[in-house]
């Protein structure tokens, strides 16, 4: 199923499938979604792989899937930097096992991408396109993250948006700096 990124960002529980592909140019949004997934699965074992790690040693990846943990009930797999080369491995995964979840993260994927087409047509997987933010979405992020701060003006918000060049990762960095420097929650 194809899902909109803003819906996933507002409600991570909308991800009902255990096999999900995130792709796009908005690295900051992808990082925010990763944090939401980690918070949702805080009692699960989280395993991180890159596509190259898996393709170099497929047996290790298969062993991680089949091994049962004595301490955690569920396993969450983060697979970064994926492209069409991993499609054969992904299509072989048994997603019927309710204790396993797979989240794949890719850069920009063309409409002709075999991996993207596989996820878009699959009834057992979700796909989320993470496209560039606009000024309105960035403004909402600023207002939400700086809620409770005094002295925030439209001029400050506009300067922050201009300084980050519509890049959410840069904006998050700037917001973290503000939270560190203005501990008393008053911006002057």
């Amino acid at each position: 199923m194809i899902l909109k990124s803003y819906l996933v960002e507002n409600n991570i529980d909308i991800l009902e499938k255990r096999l999900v592909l995130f792709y796009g140019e908005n690295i900051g949004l992808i990082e925010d979604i990763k944090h939401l997934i980690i918070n949702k699965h805080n009692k699960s074992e989280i395993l991180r792989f890159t596509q190259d790690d898996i393709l170099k040693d497929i047996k290790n990846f298969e062993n991680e899937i089949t091994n049962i943990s004595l301490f955690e009930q569920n396993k969450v797999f983060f697979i970064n930097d994926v492209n069409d080369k991993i499609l054969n491995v992904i299509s072989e995964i048994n997603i019927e096992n309710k204790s396993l979840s797979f989240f794949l993260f890719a850069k920009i994927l063309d409409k002709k991408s075999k991996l993207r087409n596989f996820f878009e047509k699959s009834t057992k997987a979700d796909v989320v396109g993470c496209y560039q933010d606009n000024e309105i979405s960035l403004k909402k992020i600023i207002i939400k993250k700086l809620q409770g701060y005094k002295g925030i003006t439209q001029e400050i918000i506009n300067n922050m948006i201009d300084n980050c060049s519509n890049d959410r990762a840069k904006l998050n960095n700037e917001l973290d700096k503000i939270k560190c420097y203005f501990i008393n929650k008053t911006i002057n």
Side-chain angles (χ1 to χ4, degrees), residues 87-148:
L87 182 58
N88 292 335
V89 176
I90 295 303
S91 61
E92 298 289 323
I93 292 176
N94 177 12
I95 56 174
E96 301 303 320
N97 186 343
K98 297 193 185 306
S99 66
L100 302 175
S101 297
F102 299 87
F103 298 98
L104 287 75
F105 302 95
K107 303 276 193 259
I108 300 170
L109 295 175
D110 295 334
K111 283 208 176 257
K112 296 177 184 176
S113 166
K114 292 176 185 176
L115 183 66
R116 180 175 167 181
N117 286 327
F118 172 80
F119 276 85
E120 287 177 347
K121 293 177 181 174
S122 175
T123 58
K124 297 180 180 182
D126 288 331
V127 61
V128 181
C130 299
Y131 300 109
Q132 207 60 7
D133 287 310
N134 58 27
E135 287 185 30
I136 295 169
S137 62
L138 293 177
K139 182 178 177 179
K140 287 180 183 178
I141 292 168
I142 293 169
I143 291 170
K144 181 179 177 183
K145 290 195 176 184
L146 294 182
Q147 189 174 9

Side-chain angles (χ1 to χ4, degrees), residues 1 14-20 101-103 122-126:
M1 173 183 275
I14 198 170
L15 296 174
E16 297 173 354
K17 309 291 190 307
R18 284 178 294 285
L19 182 61
V20 184
S101 297
F102 299 87
F103 298 98
S122 175
T123 58
K124 297 180 180 182
D126 288 331

